Amino acid sequence: ALLNTRIAQVAEFGVQQRSPYTLGFKVSLRDINQKPTPASQRKAKEIEQIILNAGGKYGPGGFEAFLRMIARDSLVFDQCNFEILRSRAGNVVGFVPVDAATIRRAKIKGKQLVQGRRNPDEKVAYIQRIGEKRVSEFGKDELAWGIRRPRTWVKSNGYGYPELEELVRVVTYLLNAETYNAVNFTNGIHASTILALKASMSTEQFRVFKRELTAMMKGPANAKRLPMVLLDPRAEAGKQELQSVNLSKSNAEMEYSNWMNWLIKLSCAVYQMDPAELGFVFGNEGQSSSLSDSGPADRIAASKERGLRPLLRSISLWMNRWIVWPIDEDFAIDFKGFDSMTESQKLDLDVKAL
């Protein structure tokens, strides 16, 4: 749910911005103080068309599909890769996403190993491995390498720090908690009651009684079958007794609900997302009154500021570095409409200003 929500939000920017009040992308001059000329406007439209095609017949089916693919790779692996397509003259004409799980940085060797740093002019910068086979090689300008959470840690070898790596324990706890609750409805992994019987019946009579009672008391899919024990088959007739020992514990005793909510909050915190975006609206900790509390809409807007905006900024940086600037360094792509007011809000502001 976390990934799909962010991916859907990013995909909304996969079209050209038609008006100042809509979401989309726009290619414009990097110098905001420079006035666009008819020639620069035509050039910006050409670049926008290249971006919309996103590789043409070799691509995933347009820029929106491209954004969905690289956003998922980035959120899962903290690594985004797409191949740059060029014409025979060397001009950028398209780009195609590449499975980030198969891309590795080329092994450092020779003088680079002695010096302890990579040569920026090295012919092979990245390789693609499928299974145990090396299938492709790429230079620095042939394949985009996008990292959102870089580290200076030497042993990271230039790879990012994906959120899921940070959430390994939390995801495991979520799986275990769901399994704990699910088995109550699927199979008899534990018994809720033990029936202790003190009677003078014979062993054969006890087996018949146990078989009939078990058939009546077992739950769906044989869940929580009733264990029975004959404590003293030689007991006197006046001392026959039937006891029930309750073994079940309520989920409230284990704080099951609070534990699940805490894990959801942790997951959302690492992904810089408010749980309200997923439909989980939690109150403020220790708050006794909600009269002054902001609504879910305000919380979702603040959540997008924390999580969606940095993701879009990273994607625009990767697009500029490997697509737009190699075509023309005077232009840049920006995702627009994030801060735009609606037409009614603009009208209200104009009325107040007047």
Side-chain angles (χ1 to χ4, degrees):
L2 281 163
L3 302 183
N4 291 335
T5 299
R6 275 286 178 259
I7 291 169
Q9 292 169 350
V10 171
E12 294 182 10
F13 294 85
V15 296
Q16 290 174 295
Q17 187 186 38
R18 298 298 181 182
S19 73
Y21 310 105
T22 59
L23 300 177
F25 73 93
K26 187 176 182 180
V27 175
S28 55
L29 292 170
R30 293 176 66 180
D31 187 355
I32 59 176
N33 297 320
Q34 184 177 352
K35 186 176 181 180
T37 63
S40 65
Q41 291 177 350
R42 287 194 299 270
K43 186 64 176 179
K45 293 296 181 182
E46 292 177 7
I47 299 175
E48 287 181 355
Q49 194 58 47
I50 292 176
I51 293 174
L52 280 174
N53 291 337
K57 65 180 181 180
Y58 303 103
F63 189 48
E64 180 179 340
F66 169 81
L67 285 179
R68 289 181 181 273
M69 290 183 178
I70 66 169
R72 182 175 295 277
D73 280 352
S74 181
L75 293 172
V76 172
F77 304 109
D78 189 19
Q79 181 178 318
C80 160
N81 300 112
F82 52 92
E83 185 180 357
I84 316 303
L85 305 181
R86 297 179 182 271
S87 65
R88 294 182 182 274
N91 301 321
V92 176
V93 294
F95 45 93
V96 178
V98 181
D99 183 5
T102 65
I103 301 299
R104 298 289 182 271
R105 303 191 73 187
K107 185 177 180 181
I108 187 171
K109 55 187 178 179
K111 293 182 178 180
Q112 301 178 74
L113 191 60
V114 175
Q115 296 174 352
R117 63 172 61 92
R118 293 181 179 272
N119 181 7
D121 299 324
E122 186 70 18
K123 183 178 180 181
V124 178
Y126 312 107
I127 64 170
Q128 184 177 31
R129 295 182 66 91
I130 298 179
E132 296 298 325
K133 188 176 180 181
R134 182 170 177 165
V135 296
S136 297
E137 298 177 348
F138 303 94
K140 280 187 173 294
D141 295 328
E142 297 174 340
L143 185 78
W145 178 269
I147 301 294
R148 287 182 299 108
R149 306 175 74 196
R151 295 178 284 181
T152 58
W153 188 34
V154 175
K155 293 185 178 180
S156 68
N157 293 321
Y159 293 92
Y161 186 35
E163 289 87 351
L164 287 179
E165 181 180 339
E166 193 172 352
L167 288 171
V168 166
R169 294 177 62 188
V170 175
V171 173
T172 304
Y173 295 156
L174 275 169
L175 291 173
N176 291 338
E178 285 189 351
T179 303
Y180 162 78
N181 200 40
V183 294
N184 289 319
F185 309 99
T186 56
N187 52 60
I189 194 171
H190 68 277
S192 59
T193 304
I194 291 181
L195 196 64
L197 181 64
K198 293 181 179 180
S200 58
M201 66 176 63
S202 65
T203 304
E204 186 63 30
Q205 289 176 324
F206 173 73
R207 289 176 179 174
V208 173
F209 174 71
K210 177 181 178 181
R211 185 163 55 248
E212 292 181 354
L213 190 61
T214 301
M216 290 188 295
M217 299 295 292
K218 68 183 180 182
N222 290 326
K224 296 187 176 180
R225 299 186 65 177
L226 182 66
M228 296 178 61
V229 58
L230 186 61
L231 296 180
D232 188 8
R234 296 168 298 178
E236 299 178 7
K239 295 183 179 181
Q240 299 187 87
E241 185 179 355
L242 185 67
Q243 295 179 348
S244 176
V245 181
N246 187 16
L247 300 178
S248 63
K249 296 181 180 180
S250 65
N251 287 337
E253 186 175 343
M254 300 294 293
E255 298 295 345
Y256 176 80
S257 179
N258 290 339
W259 174 239
M260 291 293 290
N261 292 342
W262 169 245
L263 296 177
I264 292 173
K265 291 176 182 178
L266 280 180
S267 302
C268 291
V270 172
Y271 271 102
Q272 299 292 301
M273 178 183 290
D274 194 291
E277 289 198 62
L278 306 179
F280 301 104
V281 182
F282 301 110
N284 294 334
E285 300 296 335
Q287 178 176 313
S288 58
S289 175
S290 60
L291 294 177
S292 60
D293 186 25
S294 59
D298 295 334
R299 295 173 58 177
I300 291 175
S303 174
K304 290 182 178 179
E305 287 281 346
R306 295 194 305 269
L308 179 59
R309 184 186 291 273
L311 178 57
L312 290 173
R313 187 167 57 245
S314 296
I315 294 176
S316 65
L317 177 63
W318 302 333
M319 293 293 297
N320 285 327
R321 161 67 177 84
W322 279 281
I323 303 298
V324 180
W325 292 343
I327 297 176
D328 196 318
E329 293 184 351
D330 294 332
F331 294 87
I333 181 176
D334 291 308
F335 293 106
K336 302 284 189 177
F338 196 91
D339 299 317
S340 296
M341 297 182 292
T342 62
E343 294 190 62
S344 60
Q345 290 173 335
K346 180 68 167 58
L347 179 60
D348 291 339
L349 188 62
D350 291 341
V351 171
K352 291 178 182 178
L354 182 61

